[in-house]
């Protein structure tokens, strides 16, 4: 992977605009044409203009965040160079061109790539909030047991939270350690950030007493103003639902959805398939994933304000 210098977010924003000139120009021309013909063509032209504007707005944020994620990954001095290369090759570059990607292979190889990418996304999400690039953000971690990072001390990974195959693997342990930091940052942010930890009924009981104690401490910490503990009514969660969803609202009120599907650290081992979606709800694969996840969450009794289902 070609290393890039750490850029300011204003530079990243400019770079993002240049990163996909064809898409931007096409959307802009479509929007302009719809506006110019609006008086004679009626509501249909206006609707086309609104769709083009939404695409332009959502793609701008997506490309800005991908540039920010790339910079975050490159600047991580503790991340192995081959992992950085694979994150760029398998996640960042494909998502510039497509709303859906898959990363498959031995968990020992794929987990550091997939989860480090997720951590970098979460860091970028907080950067966007700090810079007032979002009007609202909701992160929902939907897993069988409460999310692993919040069941570990900040900056640490307890052996019992990992599968046996992970316990002596520093690269995979780092994925937990890193996200103990990003999730706590999200939990303490306050509006417009909301963090929901959603898990199946009885899921907390499947954590060790030490993990339960850590998690309950976080839930009861008054500093975690954005954190919501959500034990659901369902007792089962299909493999294809396990993961996370991030619903971001742009300053113009449009929705950008980022989601993943994988395996929790306690179940890591063998071959793992990771799936990622990133884009507008107008993108068919993104919309399909969005509806699939929120249909399950709603049926299990989870009602999240201001998220359309």
């Amino acid at each position: 992977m070609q290393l890039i210098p750490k850029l300011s977010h204003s530079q990243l924003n400019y770079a993002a605009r240049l990163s996909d000139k064809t898409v931007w120009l096409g959307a802009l021309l479509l929007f302009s044409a719809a506006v110019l013909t609006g008086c004679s063509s009626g509501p249909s032209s206006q609707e086309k203009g609104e769709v083009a504007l939404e695409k332009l707005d959502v793609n701008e944020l997506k490309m800005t965040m991908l540039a920010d994620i790339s910079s975050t990954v490159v600047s991580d001095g503790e991340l192995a160079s081959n992992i950085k290369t694979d994150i760029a090759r398998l996640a960042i570059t494909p998502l510039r061109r497509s709303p859906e990607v898959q990363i498959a292979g031995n968990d020992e190889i794929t987990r550091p790539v997939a989860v480090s990418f997720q951590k970098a996304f979460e860091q970028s999400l907080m950067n966007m909030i700090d810079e007032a690039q979002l009007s609202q953000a909701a992160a929902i971690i939907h897993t069988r047991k409460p999310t692993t990072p919040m069941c570990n001390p900040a900056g640490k990974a307890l052996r019992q939270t990992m599968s046996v195959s992970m316990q002596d693997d520093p690269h995979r342990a780092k994925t937990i350690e890193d996200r103990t930091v990003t999730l706590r940052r999200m939990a303490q942010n306050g509006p417009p950030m909301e963090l929901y930890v959603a898990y199946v009924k009885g899921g907390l009981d499947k954590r060790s007493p030490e993990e339960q104690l850590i998690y309950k401490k976080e839930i009861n910490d008054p500093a975690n103003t954005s954190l919501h503990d959500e034990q659901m009514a369902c007792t089962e969660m299909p493999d294809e639902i396990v993961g996370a969803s991030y619903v971001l609202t742009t300053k113009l009120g449009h929705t950008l959805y980022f989601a993943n599907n994988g395996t929790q650290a306690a179940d890591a081992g063998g071959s793992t398939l990771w799936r990622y979606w990133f884009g507008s709800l107008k993108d068919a694969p993104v919309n399909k994933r969005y509806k699939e996840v929120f249909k399950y969450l709603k049926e299990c009794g989870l009602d999240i304000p201001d998220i359309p289902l």
Side-chain angles (χ1 to χ4, degrees), residues 126 129-130 184-193 223-226:
M126 298 309 297
I129 289 177
D130 289 346
R184 281 172 171 80
R185 182 182 172 194
M186 293 163 68
Q188 295 175 9
N189 189 84
M193 181 73 233
N224 290 330
T225 55
S226 293

Side-chain angles (χ1 to χ4, degrees), residues 78-279:
E78 297 179 354
L79 196 61
S81 59
N82 64 304
I83 297 175
K84 294 180 181 182
T85 299
D86 284 344
I87 292 173
R89 179 175 63 89
L90 299 175
I92 297 174
T93 298
L95 281 172
R96 292 187 187 279
R97 306 185 182 117
S98 172
E100 180 181 10
V101 300
Q102 296 186 0
I103 303 173
N106 188 286
D107 193 85
E108 183 179 358
I109 297 172
T110 60
R111 183 171 296 272
V113 174
V115 183
S116 295
F117 173 63
Q118 182 182 7
K119 184 272 296 188
F121 169 84
E122 291 172 341
Q123 190 168 330
S124 179
L125 166 57
M126 298 309 297
N127 290 340
M128 296 301 104
I129 289 177
D130 289 346
E131 297 182 1
Q133 295 299 310
L134 299 172
S135 62
Q136 187 176 355
I140 307 97
I141 314 298
H142 35 86
T143 47
R144 295 188 176 101
K145 294 179 284 189
T147 183
T148 304
M150 298 300 282
C151 295
N152 280 273
K156 297 181 180 180
L158 301 173
R159 291 178 68 84
Q160 65 260 36
T161 62
M162 299 179 273
S163 66
V164 174
S165 70
M166 274 188 65
Q167 289 177 357
D168 296 310
D169 184 341
H171 297 300
R172 284 188 285 176
K174 174 177 162 55
T175 63
I176 297 175
E177 295 165 357
D178 286 350
R179 292 191 65 234
T180 64
V181 177
T182 56
L183 283 188
R184 281 172 171 80
R185 182 182 172 194
M186 293 163 68
Q188 295 175 9
N189 189 84
M193 181 73 233
E194 300 295 343
L195 173 61
Y196 299 86
V197 178
Y199 53 94
V200 301
K201 186 175 182 179
L204 181 58
D205 295 334
K206 296 180 181 179
R207 291 286 186 188
S208 71
E210 185 177 5
E211 293 171 89
Q212 291 183 41
L213 193 63
I214 293 169
Y215 180 69
K216 290 177 181 178
K217 182 179 178 181
E218 294 296 337
I219 291 299
N220 294 320
D221 187 345
N224 290 330
T225 55
S226 293
L227 183 60
H228 306 275
D229 172 48
E230 299 286 351
Q231 178 176 240
M232 296 183 291
C234 295
T235 57
E236 300 290 339
M237 181 179 292
D239 288 343
E240 60 268 21
I241 295 295
V242 174
S245 293
Y246 307 79
V247 184
L248 315 182
T249 306
T250 71
K251 291 185 292 185
L252 296 182
H254 301 130
T255 301
L256 176 62
Y257 180 55
F258 178 84
N260 76 343
N261 170 230
T263 305
Q264 284 190 281
D267 302 319
S271 181
T272 306
L273 172 64
W274 302 89
R275 298 186 296 163
Y276 280 92
W277 297 261
F278 195 18

